[in-house]
Amino acid sequence: MDKPGARQVPIVYWSICFTLKTRFLNFFPEFFQKKNFPVNGISHLQPEKRNIGLEEELGGMAVPAALQWMNGERGVLVLYIARILYAAPISLLAESIALGILSLFALSLEISADHDHDRDPFSRFFKTRPGVSSGILLGAVTLPGLMLSRLIQMLRGLSLNEVGVAELENLQLQYWATFASCFSVLVCFHVILQRQDNGVPSVDSCSNWNKRFSLSCIALCAGICCIAFSAKYQFGWQMVFMLLWVVFHGLVASKLIQRILRTFPACVSIGEALLVTSGLVIYFGDMLQNTVAKIFGYWTSLGYLPVQYVVKRSEISTIIQGMTVGLLLFPLFLKLIFQISGHFKFVDISRERANHEMKKSFIFYASLAFLLIVVIPLWMQFVHDFHMHPLFWVLDFVFSEPLKTLSLCTYWIALIYASVTRFYNISKNSKTERILLRKYYHLMAVVIFVPALILQPEFLDLAFGAALAVFLILEIIRVWRIWPLGQLVHQFMNAFTDHRDSEILVISHFSLLLGCALPIWLSSGFNDRPLAPFAGILSLGIGDTMASMVGHKYGVLRWSKTGKKTIEGTAAGITSVLVACSVLLPLLATTGYIFSQHWFSLLVAVTTSGLLEAYTAQLDNAFIPLVFYSLLCL
């Protein structure tokens, strides 16, 4: 793709940003007084109520008033978005403009939410994780940015005749579904903020400008989506069907995020909930798309469901998808079964209560076995046409190369058992800080996963899916206190929790596993960037670990007065990842991989992800690998 065409996308984005900022400062200076922003260099906030902004992060240096809305995390995200838009070719102009407007919309909502110190604008509706910012911008742009990066990568594969048109168009549809999911959630939060503002007696021109700006973003996003679909499909039933499919994702996402925030109060921030919601909606939507395409195959001949949007998945991806979705839906059906059988009733007598718990556990394990052995395999065979039971296919795959796979399994089991036993005893009997113990597990991820990713990548995909299934089952057992493992699992998990976990939901082990697994799963198919599958292992296992250890022991210069992250730790994390890449590339070259990425692009990706780890207070195990992976795909 030509570079002049690629440069037109960021020019459009920055022109919109500059125009909005200039009009905002010239015509609505009272906005800064209402939102407690500095005007002409003077802050109207009391020191104890000031939000951490760019001035504090620069050690008290004077900062122009126009940049006071910027903090470190937002600055890194601007760099992240600009890097993706710079690499986007002109053929992805609509997707790029949509991402730019979505980021501006998310930024305006985040500023409105985070700078209202007198009241929490979302407290009437749900309770978020305390002590952190909303993270709306980070949650809104991570997955759309990742999907756009994958589209850029797929276009390179299309030019090399290694990717088919059907696969590219399917990914474009998934991009717009991701965009609609994030955009609908932002509209939902905008409505909540407007309800809060309607309860305030004084409404000035700033509030009116905010409403006009948000409505403009909504209209622009909807218009760009409609224009993109009309230009691709012309006008007809196919265009209407695709638009309805995208809108369906958005409506489900706006409902699902409210359910998540109310079901798990004080467990996640808004940005974290937005990332989980959009990811679940896309994953469930892909499963539904495959199922509907199989059930209503005749739609293809009628033109309602084009065959090019049904891309055949591998056996491993089908098994992982069926297992994950089935276990995520399992608690809903289990709750219904318990309600029907009356096992939610409180039993006071100890003997009757023991019998009650045993019956409850029997129902649980019987239902789980029926799901894993009958229901999920039936769906797998339906959508993929397995020639044998999927469980037998897994055994056949494992024993197809018994020496390699069984040796790898033995290595994993011995290493995991030794490390878990050692670190669990240390956590109970030592004064070592828990954050450092958790980073040891990050380092263990490198030792466990790197050899398998180089030598047996397909088997590692399957192993990640099995590990995720085990984690989901154990978390269900812990939350429901299923006899006899419920209490034991709960006590064991408490030894490794931190401030981001709660009694309701323990997410640290999920975030570490998915942070390492998602870049590998996303790299299936065409991949001309050999370092991309290692994004999670490098950023979490090496970068995050070295940053925490060096910063904890040698860190002196802090990025902000109120933060804990140090410049020394960030520098150590960035340097260690670069060194690991320089060591890893020759090893990959021996297996046939060719490094086709410029070192400057690699440096930008490593630096951006390292700075995001330094500034963000969100769940870094979830966000940093995805951001790093997105930049490595460019």
Side-chain angles (χ1 to χ4, degrees), residues 1-15 82-91 93 96:
M1 302 300 171
D2 58 333
K3 274 293 177 187
R7 294 174 185 269
Q8 295 180 18
V9 174
I11 291 175
V12 173
Y13 175 68
W14 290 116
S15 299
R83 176 68 184 94
I84 295 176
L85 296 182
Y86 180 81
I90 195 65
S91 58
L93 181 62
S96 302

mmCIF file of all heavy atoms in Angstrom, residues 1-15 82-91 93 96:
data_model
loop_
_atom_site.group_PDB
_atom_site.id
_atom_site.type_symbol
_atom_site.label_atom_id
_atom_site.label_comp_id
_atom_site.label_asym_id
_atom_site.label_seq_id
_atom_site.Cartn_x
_atom_site.Cartn_y
_atom_site.Cartn_z
ATOM 1 N N MET A 1 0.849 -1.198 0.000
ATOM 2 C CA MET A 1 0.000 0.000 0.000
ATOM 3 C C MET A 1 0.888 1.253 0.000
ATOM 4 O O MET A 1 1.920 1.278 0.664
ATOM 5 C CB MET A 1 -0.900 0.009 1.230
ATOM 6 C CG MET A 1 -1.804 -1.238 1.311
ATOM 7 S SD MET A 1 -2.887 -1.365 -0.096
ATOM 8 C CE MET A 1 -3.564 -3.000 0.155
ATOM 9 N N ASP A 2 0.461 2.274 -0.699
ATOM 10 C CA ASP A 2 1.314 3.442 -0.816
ATOM 11 C C ASP A 2 1.270 4.258 0.449
ATOM 12 O O ASP A 2 0.258 4.410 1.090
ATOM 13 C CB ASP A 2 0.883 4.294 -2.013
ATOM 14 C CG ASP A 2 -0.561 4.734 -1.899
ATOM 15 O OD1 ASP A 2 -1.319 4.004 -1.234
ATOM 16 O OD2 ASP A 2 -0.915 5.785 -2.451
ATOM 17 N N LYS A 3 2.433 4.846 0.795
ATOM 18 C CA LYS A 3 2.530 5.645 2.008
ATOM 19 C C LYS A 3 1.738 6.937 1.953
ATOM 20 O O LYS A 3 1.154 7.342 2.947
ATOM 21 C CB LYS A 3 4.001 5.967 2.302
ATOM 22 C CG LYS A 3 4.681 4.884 3.097
ATOM 23 C CD LYS A 3 4.074 4.827 4.473
ATOM 24 C CE LYS A 3 4.677 3.702 5.300
ATOM 25 N NZ LYS A 3 4.011 3.535 6.555
ATOM 26 N N PRO A 4 1.711 7.677 0.816
ATOM 27 C CA PRO A 4 0.894 8.891 0.816
ATOM 28 C C PRO A 4 -0.547 8.623 1.170
ATOM 29 O O PRO A 4 -1.168 9.376 1.897
ATOM 30 C CB PRO A 4 1.060 9.399 -0.626
ATOM 31 C CG PRO A 4 2.378 8.866 -1.070
ATOM 32 C CD PRO A 4 2.496 7.530 -0.426
ATOM 33 N N GLY A 5 -1.109 7.515 0.677
ATOM 34 C CA GLY A 5 -2.476 7.180 1.036
ATOM 35 C C GLY A 5 -2.622 6.872 2.495
ATOM 36 O O GLY A 5 -3.602 7.201 3.140
ATOM 37 N N ALA A 6 -1.593 6.207 3.018
ATOM 38 C CA ALA A 6 -1.658 5.850 4.438
ATOM 39 C C ALA A 6 -1.575 7.070 5.321
ATOM 40 O O ALA A 6 -2.111 7.093 6.426
ATOM 41 C CB ALA A 6 -0.531 4.874 4.768
ATOM 42 N N ARG A 7 -0.891 8.126 4.879
ATOM 43 C CA ARG A 7 -0.723 9.310 5.715
ATOM 44 C C ARG A 7 -1.986 10.160 5.765
ATOM 45 O O ARG A 7 -2.087 11.056 6.604
ATOM 46 C CB ARG A 7 0.432 10.169 5.183
ATOM 47 C CG ARG A 7 1.790 9.493 5.298
ATOM 48 C CD ARG A 7 2.865 10.343 4.626
ATOM 49 N NE ARG A 7 4.142 9.660 4.619
ATOM 50 C CZ ARG A 7 5.057 9.760 5.556
ATOM 51 N NH1 ARG A 7 4.826 10.509 6.597
ATOM 52 N NH2 ARG A 7 6.202 9.109 5.468
ATOM 53 N N GLN A 8 -2.944 9.930 4.877
ATOM 54 C CA GLN A 8 -4.144 10.772 4.880
ATOM 55 C C GLN A 8 -5.017 10.499 6.087
ATOM 56 O O GLN A 8 -5.741 11.364 6.539
ATOM 57 C CB GLN A 8 -4.941 10.516 3.603
ATOM 58 C CG GLN A 8 -4.188 10.951 2.333
ATOM 59 C CD GLN A 8 -4.981 10.684 1.085
ATOM 60 O OE1 GLN A 8 -6.191 10.486 1.166
ATOM 61 N NE2 GLN A 8 -4.328 10.670 -0.057
ATOM 62 N N VAL A 9 -4.959 9.297 6.638
ATOM 63 C CA VAL A 9 -5.825 8.951 7.764
ATOM 64 C C VAL A 9 -5.479 9.744 9.008
ATOM 65 O O VAL A 9 -6.350 10.381 9.610
ATOM 66 C CB VAL A 9 -5.771 7.433 8.027
ATOM 67 C CG1 VAL A 9 -6.557 7.093 9.277
ATOM 68 C CG2 VAL A 9 -6.345 6.683 6.829
ATOM 69 N N PRO A 10 -4.198 9.779 9.473
ATOM 70 C CA PRO A 10 -3.914 10.572 10.662
ATOM 71 C C PRO A 10 -4.118 12.056 10.463
ATOM 72 O O PRO A 10 -4.413 12.780 11.408
ATOM 73 C CB PRO A 10 -2.445 10.234 10.971
ATOM 74 C CG PRO A 10 -1.903 9.669 9.720
ATOM 75 C CD PRO A 10 -3.032 8.995 9.040
ATOM 76 N N ILE A 11 -3.957 12.545 9.205
ATOM 77 C CA ILE A 11 -4.188 13.973 8.955
ATOM 78 C C ILE A 11 -5.644 14.315 9.246
ATOM 79 O O ILE A 11 -5.954 15.335 9.880
ATOM 80 C CB ILE A 11 -3.804 14.316 7.502
ATOM 81 C CG1 ILE A 11 -2.277 14.205 7.325
ATOM 82 C CG2 ILE A 11 -4.297 15.706 7.133
ATOM 83 C CD1 ILE A 11 -1.828 14.409 5.899
ATOM 84 N N VAL A 12 -6.564 13.470 8.791
ATOM 85 C CA VAL A 12 -7.988 13.700 9.072
ATOM 86 C C VAL A 12 -8.249 13.674 10.571
ATOM 87 O O VAL A 12 -8.944 14.521 11.126
ATOM 88 C CB VAL A 12 -8.841 12.628 8.355
ATOM 89 C CG1 VAL A 12 -10.303 12.746 8.768
ATOM 90 C CG2 VAL A 12 -8.704 12.761 6.847
ATOM 91 N N TYR A 13 -7.642 12.690 11.251
ATOM 92 C CA TYR A 13 -7.865 12.535 12.693
ATOM 93 C C TYR A 13 -7.365 13.740 13.460
ATOM 94 O O TYR A 13 -8.068 14.300 14.291
ATOM 95 C CB TYR A 13 -7.160 11.257 13.157
ATOM 96 C CG TYR A 13 -7.207 11.051 14.647
ATOM 97 C CD1 TYR A 13 -8.402 10.766 15.279
ATOM 98 C CD2 TYR A 13 -6.058 11.139 15.411
ATOM 99 C CE1 TYR A 13 -8.453 10.561 16.640
ATOM 100 C CE2 TYR A 13 -6.092 10.941 16.775
ATOM 101 C CZ TYR A 13 -7.291 10.649 17.381
ATOM 102 O OH TYR A 13 -7.332 10.455 18.726
ATOM 103 N N TRP A 14 -6.115 14.170 13.177
ATOM 104 C CA TRP A 14 -5.557 15.291 13.932
ATOM 105 C C TRP A 14 -6.243 16.614 13.571
ATOM 106 O O TRP A 14 -6.310 17.522 14.390
ATOM 107 C CB TRP A 14 -4.059 15.385 13.686
ATOM 108 C CG TRP A 14 -3.308 14.262 14.316
ATOM 109 C CD1 TRP A 14 -2.586 13.288 13.702
ATOM 110 C CD2 TRP A 14 -3.234 13.965 15.714
ATOM 111 N NE1 TRP A 14 -2.078 12.410 14.608
ATOM 112 C CE2 TRP A 14 -2.443 12.796 15.844
ATOM 113 C CE3 TRP A 14 -3.758 14.571 16.851
ATOM 114 C CZ2 TRP A 14 -2.167 12.234 17.087
ATOM 115 C CZ3 TRP A 14 -3.482 14.004 18.077
ATOM 116 C CH2 TRP A 14 -2.699 12.853 18.190
ATOM 117 N N SER A 15 -6.748 16.736 12.340
ATOM 118 C CA SER A 15 -7.490 17.946 11.984
ATOM 119 C C SER A 15 -8.761 18.052 12.818
ATOM 120 O O SER A 15 -9.110 19.130 13.309
ATOM 121 C CB SER A 15 -7.839 17.912 10.492
ATOM 122 O OG SER A 15 -6.667 17.866 9.708
ATOM 123 N N ALA A 82 -2.661 6.988 17.146
ATOM 124 C CA ALA A 82 -1.991 7.642 16.034
ATOM 125 C C ALA A 82 -1.107 6.663 15.259
ATOM 126 O O ALA A 82 -1.021 6.723 14.030
ATOM 127 C CB ALA A 82 -1.155 8.812 16.544
ATOM 128 N N ARG A 83 -0.453 5.749 15.967
ATOM 129 C CA ARG A 83 0.407 4.769 15.288
ATOM 130 C C ARG A 83 -0.422 3.847 14.396
ATOM 131 O O ARG A 83 -0.011 3.517 13.260
ATOM 132 C CB ARG A 83 1.159 3.937 16.341
ATOM 133 C CG ARG A 83 2.018 2.820 15.756
ATOM 134 C CD ARG A 83 3.183 3.377 14.974
ATOM 135 N NE ARG A 83 3.947 2.314 14.327
ATOM 136 C CZ ARG A 83 3.761 1.895 13.083
ATOM 137 N NH1 ARG A 83 2.813 2.451 12.331
ATOM 138 N NH2 ARG A 83 4.516 0.942 12.564
ATOM 139 N N ILE A 84 -1.578 3.429 14.862
ATOM 140 C CA ILE A 84 -2.433 2.560 14.049
ATOM 141 C C ILE A 84 -2.977 3.324 12.847
ATOM 142 O O ILE A 84 -2.970 2.818 11.716
ATOM 143 C CB ILE A 84 -3.575 1.996 14.904
ATOM 144 C CG1 ILE A 84 -3.027 1.081 15.998
ATOM 145 C CG2 ILE A 84 -4.575 1.229 14.045
ATOM 146 C CD1 ILE A 84 -4.072 0.562 16.955
ATOM 147 N N LEU A 85 -3.434 4.546 13.064
ATOM 148 C CA LEU A 85 -3.992 5.330 11.966
ATOM 149 C C LEU A 85 -2.932 5.683 10.930
ATOM 150 O O LEU A 85 -3.217 5.774 9.730
ATOM 151 C CB LEU A 85 -4.634 6.605 12.520
ATOM 152 C CG LEU A 85 -5.841 6.410 13.436
ATOM 153 C CD1 LEU A 85 -6.402 7.755 13.862
ATOM 154 C CD2 LEU A 85 -6.918 5.580 12.766
ATOM 155 N N TYR A 86 -1.691 5.887 11.377
ATOM 156 C CA TYR A 86 -0.613 6.184 10.446
ATOM 157 C C TYR A 86 -0.344 4.999 9.523
ATOM 158 O O TYR A 86 -0.021 5.167 8.342
ATOM 159 C CB TYR A 86 0.659 6.536 11.225
ATOM 160 C CG TYR A 86 1.845 6.854 10.348
ATOM 161 C CD1 TYR A 86 1.993 8.109 9.774
ATOM 162 C CD2 TYR A 86 2.820 5.886 10.093
ATOM 163 C CE1 TYR A 86 3.072 8.391 8.961
ATOM 164 C CE2 TYR A 86 3.907 6.160 9.289
ATOM 165 C CZ TYR A 86 4.033 7.422 8.723
ATOM 166 O OH TYR A 86 5.102 7.698 7.918
ATOM 167 N N ALA A 87 -0.482 3.792 10.043
ATOM 168 C CA ALA A 87 -0.208 2.595 9.245
ATOM 169 C C ALA A 87 -1.391 2.175 8.388
ATOM 170 O O ALA A 87 -1.236 1.316 7.512
ATOM 171 C CB ALA A 87 0.191 1.433 10.160
ATOM 172 N N ALA A 88 -2.574 2.748 8.622
ATOM 173 C CA ALA A 88 -3.771 2.317 7.892
ATOM 174 C C ALA A 88 -3.730 2.809 6.452
ATOM 175 O O ALA A 88 -3.467 3.984 6.195
ATOM 176 C CB ALA A 88 -5.020 2.837 8.590
ATOM 177 N N PRO A 89 -3.978 1.960 5.465
ATOM 178 C CA PRO A 89 -4.033 2.390 4.064
ATOM 179 C C PRO A 89 -5.340 3.119 3.766
ATOM 180 O O PRO A 89 -6.280 3.102 4.570
ATOM 181 C CB PRO A 89 -3.931 1.068 3.295
ATOM 182 C CG PRO A 89 -4.507 0.061 4.224
ATOM 183 C CD PRO A 89 -4.150 0.511 5.614
ATOM 184 N N ILE A 90 -5.405 3.721 2.620
ATOM 185 C CA ILE A 90 -6.579 4.508 2.249
ATOM 186 C C ILE A 90 -7.814 3.623 2.080
ATOM 187 O O ILE A 90 -8.949 4.087 2.221
ATOM 188 C CB ILE A 90 -6.302 5.306 0.958
ATOM 189 C CG1 ILE A 90 -7.352 6.396 0.743
ATOM 190 C CG2 ILE A 90 -6.200 4.367 -0.233
ATOM 191 C CD1 ILE A 90 -7.327 7.471 1.796
ATOM 192 N N SER A 91 -7.617 2.338 1.784
ATOM 193 C CA SER A 91 -8.755 1.436 1.629
ATOM 194 C C SER A 91 -9.492 1.203 2.944
ATOM 195 O O SER A 91 -10.634 0.736 2.934
ATOM 196 C CB SER A 91 -8.296 0.094 1.055
ATOM 197 O OG SER A 91 -7.319 -0.503 1.881
ATOM 198 N N LEU A 93 -10.102 3.710 5.094
ATOM 199 C CA LEU A 93 -10.370 5.073 5.543
ATOM 200 C C LEU A 93 -11.602 5.137 6.441
ATOM 201 O O LEU A 93 -11.592 5.807 7.481
ATOM 202 C CB LEU A 93 -10.557 5.996 4.336
ATOM 203 C CG LEU A 93 -10.817 7.476 4.648
ATOM 204 C CD1 LEU A 93 -9.643 8.088 5.397
ATOM 205 C CD2 LEU A 93 -11.111 8.251 3.368
ATOM 206 N N SER A 96 -10.818 3.743 9.830
ATOM 207 C CA SER A 96 -9.897 4.614 10.566
ATOM 208 C C SER A 96 -10.603 5.845 11.122
ATOM 209 O O SER A 96 -10.385 6.236 12.267
ATOM 210 C CB SER A 96 -8.745 5.037 9.647
ATOM 211 O OG SER A 96 -8.064 3.918 9.137
#
